[in-house]
Amino acid sequence: MSAFKSYDIRGRLGTDLTEAIVHRIARAFATVTGADAVVLARDCRESSPGLADAVAAGLVAQGVRVLDLGLAGTEEMYFATAHLGAGGGICVTASHNPREYNGMKLVGRGAVPLPDADFARIRSLTEGGAEFSAAPQGGREDWSTVRADYVAHVVALVGQGIGPLRLVMNAGNGAAGPTLDALAEGLAARGAQLDLVRMHHDPDGSFPNGIPNPLLPANRPVTAKAVQAAGADFGVAFDGDFDRCFLFDGEGGFVDGEHVVALLAAAHLVSDPKATIIHDPRVIWAVQDAVQRGGGRSVLTPTGHVFLKAAMRREGAVYGGEMSAHHYFRGFMACDSGMIPWLMVARLASQSGRNLTEMVGALRRDFPSSGEINFRVDDLPSVVRRVETALAPQARSTDRTDGLSLDFGDWRMNLRASNTEPLLRLNVEARGDAGLVAEGVARVSGLIEG
């Protein structure tokens, strides 16, 4: 089974992914991109230092200067790639996957996603046994000090007018802890008043408190209870490479992804009225309402970072968000960040006079949703056709931006195939009536399983 997925590289250690394989990937990356300098970062998994060494050796063998950040988040790699003018960037990470996995995230110059053709060629060269041409030896350089520039950039974007707030910060023993500490110092220097209650803070690749994947409901109670115990204004939990953060309100309630997108859209439109907001089509009504209230323009795009980033640049959007907790910012190279979202929400709460619990409570009341429900089916296209045949005649509108979206006026559904697994993913939302959500889920589920 190949470690090459739709957007990145992810696989089981020892089979899909070995040091020899990532060495070849690195040589192929250098060959395809022609980069003379590549930023390299890694997460804290126990396998990541060895894999990062193999990546560096492959790049050096192709004559590349390796600008090594050491332990750092994916977004720090994005920033450094653009900031240092490198020809590309690689982060060795498996993010939220189980311990026996690792992977690589690849970008080109300016932290722009690689074109599909380039990614396919890297795969072909890696898996096809190509012989790589000899090149003058490159070198590996320590660029860990670039974190200070990253902190300065993020603080300049969102660091003023925050607090006083008490926040629980759960790093999940992933890579977030050291960067959060540096960011906290930078924020304090700019006058932010934040009391950060740190938990599971130190990077530990054995993940003694479980894999950092707050999207799983089973992993949420530890943060929720910490928020309640600390009397915090809200809580933040990060995944392993902290390109995503997940929010908990002041009562410990998990904040659904589309509601975070709505909050961030509103936050941007306060200072940039009439701006364009990009979002995915899975759950949209809360976001579109926030954009309309703020005087902005909302644009749908298919799910996935490649599509969101391309739309951000094409539309000149100030912000783009996915309900899966990927958030993209024009001021951050149109890339996703896990640090900027919680800071923007903190600033919004500080300046609006409304706490996160109040803001999210209104969104839950006005725009209830089902959360993503997964179905494993043998023939995805035929199941989608069955749902469409039964329900489309009753819908006010049909949209195919990503999968099948049907709008019935008082409730709405999106049904799409996973990009990485043989799954159908269902989302249902309603306007002010949670009962309609339950009815919609039952109706569509019956068609899928029937």
Side-chain angles (χ1 to χ4, degrees):
M1 185 175 180
S2 175
F4 283 83
K5 307 306 179 187
S6 299
Y7 309 127
D8 59 12
I9 294 161
R10 199 76 57 88
R12 189 180 293 271
L13 291 164
T15 54
D16 306 329
L17 211 64
T18 65
E19 291 182 9
I21 290 172
V22 301
H23 180 89
R24 287 189 60 82
I25 292 171
R27 297 194 74 166
F29 179 86
T31 299
V32 171
T33 62
D36 59 353
V38 172
V39 169
L40 174 63
R42 63 170 177 84
D43 69 15
C44 71
R45 287 171 183 264
E46 293 174 334
S47 60
S48 290
L51 292 176
D53 288 345
V55 170
L59 293 171
V60 168
Q62 293 302 116
V64 173
R65 288 176 60 215
V66 179
L67 312 181
D68 192 358
L69 307 184
L71 176 66
T74 296
E75 69 190 68
E76 291 182 273
M77 179 271 285
Y78 292 152
F79 171 80
T81 300
H83 182 66
L84 300 176
I90 298 173
C91 187
V92 175
T93 180
S95 185
H96 59 279
N97 282 69
R99 293 177 183 85
E100 63 270 22
Y101 284 79
N102 214 320
M104 302 164 70
K105 295 182 179 179
L106 315 175
V107 293
R109 187 176 298 277
V112 175
L114 295 176
D116 289 345
D118 285 0
F119 192 70
R121 189 169 172 227
I122 290 170
R123 176 175 182 173
S124 176
L125 289 173
T126 300
E127 298 179 343
E131 293 292 331
F132 295 101
S133 58
Q137 289 293 295
R140 188 175 185 179
E141 307 167 13
D142 183 349
W143 279 87
S144 56
T145 55
V146 81
R147 175 168 290 159
D149 298 326
Y150 158 83
V151 167
H153 184 81
V154 172
V155 170
L157 279 177
V158 289
Q160 291 185 317
I162 297 178
L165 293 171
R166 189 171 210 216
L167 308 180
V168 165
M169 310 299 292
N170 184 353
N173 298 116
T179 308
L180 179 62
D181 289 343
L183 189 55
E185 289 185 15
L187 289 163
R190 288 289 293 268
Q193 300 177 61
L194 291 173
D195 175 13
L196 301 183
V197 180
R198 295 164 170 84
M199 62 182 298
H200 304 167
H201 188 70
D202 295 331
D204 184 340
S206 70
F207 299 124
N209 296 292
I211 297 296
N213 183 9
L215 197 56
L216 295 178
N219 291 346
R220 298 174 189 170
V222 64
T223 307
K225 291 175 182 176
V227 170
Q228 295 167 348
D233 292 281
F234 65 88
V236 184
F238 298 97
D239 68 1
D241 62 338
F242 69 89
D243 64 344
R244 294 188 299 167
C245 71
F246 300 83
L247 303 185
F248 296 76
D249 66 26
E251 297 177 352
F254 184 78
V255 183
D256 289 330
E258 72 272 15
H259 295 158
V260 178
V261 177
L263 290 172
L264 291 174
H268 279 91
L269 291 165
V270 168
S271 57
D272 194 355
K274 300 184 180 179
T276 296
I277 306 295
I278 306 292
H279 60 102
D280 70 275
R282 287 173 285 185
V283 185
I284 66 172
W285 281 346
V287 179
Q288 290 183 339
D289 180 74
V291 174
Q292 183 179 19
R293 288 173 182 270
R297 179 175 74 107
S298 64
V299 176
L300 289 177
T301 193
T303 304
H305 80 97
V306 171
F307 300 110
L308 267 289
K309 290 173 180 176
M312 288 278 292
R313 292 182 170 91
R314 183 178 65 247
E315 302 288 343
V318 66
Y319 162 71
E322 297 180 273
M323 61 173 285
S324 55
H326 286 284
H327 302 282
Y328 310 83
F329 303 91
R330 184 170 63 195
F332 196 69
M333 303 83 61
C335 287
D336 37 336
S337 165
M339 290 294 176
I340 296 173
W342 70 265
L343 281 170
M344 292 205 70
V345 170
R347 188 176 68 182
L348 179 64
S350 301
Q351 297 179 353
S352 69
R354 302 176 69 205
N355 62 42
L356 182 59
T357 306
E358 292 172 323
M359 291 187 285
V360 173
L363 290 169
R364 290 174 181 144
R365 180 194 67 233
D366 295 340
F367 302 102
S369 61
S370 63
E372 196 154 74
I373 304 168
N374 293 319
F375 299 86
R376 189 171 293 275
V377 298
D378 293 329
D379 187 346
L380 274 69
S382 68
V383 172
V384 174
R385 284 195 298 271
R386 182 163 68 237
V387 173
E388 183 175 9
T389 299
L391 297 182
Q394 305 158 38
R396 291 186 178 183
S397 64
T398 300
D399 182 83
R400 300 183 186 280
T401 300
D402 191 355
L404 173 67
S405 295
L406 299 175
D407 183 338
F408 300 92
D410 51 3
W411 72 281
R412 179 185 174 277
M413 56 152 285
N414 173 264
L415 187 65
R416 60 180 289 275
S418 166
N419 290 319
T420 57
E421 302 174 84
L423 296 174
L424 274 179
R425 305 192 190 279
L426 171 66
N427 283 279
V428 174
E429 61 184 318
R431 300 186 191 275
D433 188 342
L436 284 176
V437 173
E439 292 173 13
V441 168
R443 191 172 182 186
V444 180
S445 297
L447 289 167
I448 292 171
E449 294 169 343

